Amino acid sequence: MNYKEEIIRLKKELDVTIVAHFYQRDEVFEMGDIVGDSLELAKRAMAAPTKNIIFCGVGFMGESVKVLSPEKRVLMPKIACCAMAKMIDVEYFDENLKILNNAGISNDDILPITYINSSAAVKAAVGKMGGYVCTSSNAFKIIQKGLTSGKKIFFVPDRCLGQNFANQMKLKSAVIGMDSIEDVKNSDIICYNGFCSVHQLFTVEDIEFYKEKYPDIIVAVHPECDVKVVDRADFVGSTSQLIKFITEEISPEQKVVVGTEYNMVNRLRDKNTYVLSSTKPECPTMNETTLEDLYNALMSIKNETYDNEIVVPQDVVKYAKIALEKMFEV
Ligand code: 13P
Ligand code: SF4
């Protein structure tokens, strides 16, 4: 079967919008009616005119659309789970709060901020405490806003994002379980000890290799990379910010080596772009979705079986929505 032709035909026939993140396989990405970074996808999918949304991405992304627009039916061709988002659940969130309480920091002195790469349940726990969601493209603004509360920021789950933005803002940060409890007590941004295994693949040695080979090369990385990598980079940004920088802000002759997921970097290969790794930094879960899965998701709308529909409990929707909407207000 020619899945591509069938998908194009079904898209025209059904009341559906296909949403795809930049890290999707090329053939799936090309089928997207809406493509973008996690913030753009959440906003634009919410405003899509159709009842049905097929989200080609990872679980937390589909959940965010469902939380923001509970009236929509959100299906995922594969319910692939972001490895970082899996590193935290509500139990771990509460355990970490207890560690802080035992160190003398009460919940009243803490403002939690969760990276959008977390489950709806964790977002709800954050929303209940008056906290915010952020993405890699707006974390600076959200943390700045959070700090106006006069409280310490408890940043979950990505320690790298928390540390990198703390450094940009010249604030102190510490990671629970990695740094001493004294350091945790003295920091402005307290980070949960989670990370993205894909972005950990980029190293300072990779940067040195490219800088030696091409002395004028620019290094552009995602803020999920390790602090040492981000410190040595020339540009740091979300997936959309990286694309804008490479395609609009530097000359086409400028060589640029990029530290983020392979599918996205490979799509920019005609722009003098290199991958900042000797291995292929693919996100395994983003890569799970195939054209066949997408076709099956469309067929399940046609057959009214609605396979892999995202369901979020009412009370979780209520509080996760508060944390997400606070992000949009900022
Ligand atoms: P963006 O917000 O830049 O799309 O990043 C999402 C992500 O999962 C990066 O690994
Ligand atoms: Fe999650 Fe990392 Fe994959 Fe992004 S690249 S979806 S953070 S595992």
Side-chain angles (χ1 to χ4, degrees):
M1 177 179 326
N2 185 330
Y3 287 120
K4 193 172 162 181
E5 275 176 22
E6 284 301 304
I7 289 167
I8 293 170
R9 189 182 59 76
L10 285 165
K11 267 205 316 182
K12 286 193 190 125
E13 182 187 321
L14 301 168
D15 175 34
V16 65
T17 303
I18 297 179
V19 180
H21 187 265
F22 290 128
Y23 292 171
Q24 290 290 297
R25 293 162 180 259
D26 286 353
E27 64 273 25
V28 174
F29 184 77
E30 281 163 19
M31 293 295 112
D33 302 305
I34 298 176
V35 295
D37 70 7
S38 53
L39 179 63
E40 292 161 342
L41 295 183
K43 271 195 206 161
R44 293 178 58 202
M46 185 171 69
T50 59
K51 160 85 180 166
N52 299 300
I53 301 285
I54 296 187
F55 205 117
C56 304
V58 281
F60 75 81
M61 297 180 172
E63 270 192 348
S64 294
V65 178
K66 185 69 192 172
V67 167
L68 289 164
S69 339
E71 72 289 354
K72 288 202 186 297
R73 185 184 292 117
V74 183
L75 306 182
M76 298 196 69
K78 271 266 162 68
I79 304 200
C81 195
C82 160
M84 180 204 286
K86 272 190 106 164
M87 287 183 182
I88 189 163
D89 58 16
V90 175
E91 214 172 294
Y92 284 157
F93 179 81
D94 289 342
E95 270 175 25
N96 275 253
L97 281 179
K98 283 219 177 74
I99 294 173
L100 298 182
N101 298 159
N102 292 338
I105 309 169
S106 80
N107 284 3
D108 290 341
D109 300 325
I110 298 167
L111 184 81
I113 297 180
T114 182
Y115 188 27
I116 197 162
N117 296 37
S118 56
S119 66
V122 168
K123 291 185 181 80
V126 167
K128 272 184 197 161
M129 287 180 71
Y132 295 77
V133 173
C134 76
T135 74
S136 53
S137 54
N138 64 20
F140 192 97
K141 268 192 196 165
I142 302 285
I143 294 173
Q144 236 174 8
K145 174 75 183 171
L147 287 165
T148 61
S149 67
K151 299 180 180 187
K152 284 185 185 293
I153 303 294
F154 175 37
F155 194 89
V156 307
D158 189 7
R159 66 169 188 241
C160 297
L161 220 86
Q163 291 169 309
N164 286 324
F165 282 100
N167 288 351
Q168 262 190 43
M169 299 169 119
K170 309 219 177 316
L171 296 170
K172 280 191 196 150
S173 67
V175 181
I176 300 174
M178 265 176 91
D179 294 312
S180 72
I181 207 71
E182 270 318 297
D183 284 344
V184 168
K185 280 164 80 170
N186 292 328
S187 63
D188 310 292
I189 302 185
I190 301 168
C191 306
Y192 181 84
N193 192 4
F195 56 88
C196 165
S197 45
V198 181
H199 286 84
Q200 294 304 301
L201 294 173
F202 308 111
T203 64
V204 175
E205 288 70 38
D206 294 326
I207 297 183
E208 300 310 343
F209 170 82
Y210 275 101
K211 291 240 181 204
E212 203 169 297
K213 197 164 173 195
Y214 307 112
D216 295 330
I217 201 164
I218 287 179
V219 180
V221 302
H222 196 278
E224 287 175 13
C225 291
D226 189 81
V227 192
K228 293 193 199 82
V229 169
V230 170
D231 280 352
R232 192 78 179 88
D234 304 298
F235 180 84
V236 189
S238 73
T239 49
S240 281
Q241 290 164 346
L242 287 167
I243 292 173
K244 187 163 182 283
F245 176 69
I246 294 162
T247 58
E248 294 174 28
E249 292 170 20
I250 55 176
S251 85
E253 291 76 40
Q254 174 66 55
K255 285 188 179 19
V256 54
V257 61
V258 189
T260 197
E261 211 270 345
Y262 178 79
N263 285 331
M264 186 186 116
V265 185
N266 189 42
R267 232 171 268 134
L268 297 166
R269 60 189 172 271
D270 59 333
K271 305 275 183 237
N272 249 327
T273 300
Y274 299 80
V275 181
L276 182 65
S277 180
S278 50
T279 57
K280 210 172 169 190
E282 282 176 320
C283 172
T285 45
M286 282 281 187
N287 269 272
E288 277 182 33
T289 305
T290 63
L291 269 190
E292 185 179 355
D293 297 327
L294 179 51
Y295 166 78
N296 289 338
L298 285 158
M299 283 305 290
S300 83
I301 295 176
K302 189 176 164 83
N303 298 332
E304 299 182 10
T305 54
Y306 308 115
D307 303 340
N308 288 350
E309 182 174 351
I310 300 291
V311 180
V312 183
Q314 274 306 312
D315 56 326
V316 172
V317 167
K318 181 177 165 195
Y319 289 103
K321 198 170 186 186
I322 291 174
L324 276 159
E325 282 177 346
K326 283 182 81 169
M327 167 179 81
F328 288 122
E329 278 163 29
V330 177

